[in-house]
Amino acid sequence: NHLAAMAGASTRELMHRMGHGSMRAALVYQHATDERAKQIAAALSDLVARQSHAVDQHPDRGHAGRAGDLESAS
């Protein structure tokens, strides 16, 4: 189950695989590893980069979410 957790299995999936009735038992197999921490950091970095790129490409960049935008659009 430790390998399944490292492969990305969710807590619910781990519970099912091992027949655990509680999340506590399944969480034993999900302890953090340095490699997994690096994978998570890389995935977060990619998401931030994609979001930044999408915002940079948006024609109304910098205006989203401001209170006055809704009033001026009508």
Side-chain angles (χ1 to χ4, degrees):
N1 244 18
H2 173 71
L3 294 176
M6 288 181 61
S10 69
T11 303
R12 180 75 57 201
E13 291 165 330
L14 295 173
M15 288 174 64
H16 178 73
R17 289 172 54 87
M18 296 298 288
H20 293 148
S22 73
M23 290 181 80
R24 185 174 184 197
L27 289 174
V28 169
Y29 298 97
Q30 289 184 307
H31 58 325
T33 63
D34 288 340
E35 184 59 33
R36 183 65 180 144
K38 290 175 187 176
Q39 291 171 349
I40 292 168
L44 287 170
S45 181
D46 290 345
L47 286 171
V48 169
R50 283 197 301 259
Q51 287 292 328
S52 295
H53 180 71
V55 169
D56 289 344
Q57 299 300 314
H58 194 275
D60 294 329
R61 187 178 104 194
H63 299 288
R66 292 190 0 210
D69 288 346
L70 293 175
E71 294 172 10
S72 64
S74 52

